[in-house]
Amino acid sequence: MRTEMDFMRMDEHQRICWLKANRILIFVIGVVWLGIIGWELLQNRVPVFMIVMVPVLALTRLVLYKFYVRRA
């Protein structure tokens, strides 16, 4: 399967940097997501969808990881 790294013709060093940047981006998105949940709770609104999606997204990532590990 070709990735965006293949399309951009990255060498090995560039690929590692790209993956590190993606890892940090996912972390930042998670912090923002939790911040939004906290903000909504402070406003006396319960963001049920956002709270439910936290474990759903974590489970999706785990399932995809297990799928790709088996495939390799």
Side-chain angles (χ1 to χ4, degrees):
M1 174 194 309
R2 290 181 55 100
T3 66
E4 66 274 8
M5 295 180 288
D6 296 325
F7 288 113
M8 293 189 285
R9 297 181 181 158
M10 293 181 174
D11 63 26
E12 197 60 32
H13 175 72
Q14 291 170 322
R15 287 174 180 264
I16 290 170
C17 292
W18 182 261
L19 292 172
K20 286 180 180 179
N22 283 342
R23 183 186 308 158
I24 295 298
L25 177 64
I26 294 299
F27 178 77
V28 170
I29 290 169
V31 168
V32 169
W33 189 289
L34 292 174
I36 293 170
I37 290 172
W39 177 256
E40 290 293 315
L41 290 172
L42 286 173
Q43 303 298 317
N44 293 324
R45 295 186 296 244
V46 180
V48 177
F49 175 76
M50 292 185 76
I51 293 171
V52 168
M53 288 307 294
V54 171
V56 168
L57 293 173
L59 181 62
T60 301
R61 182 179 183 198
L62 178 65
V63 168
L64 289 171
Y65 169 76
K66 296 286 187 180
F67 171 76
Y68 284 120
V69 165
R70 266 195 204 160
R71 212 171 134 203

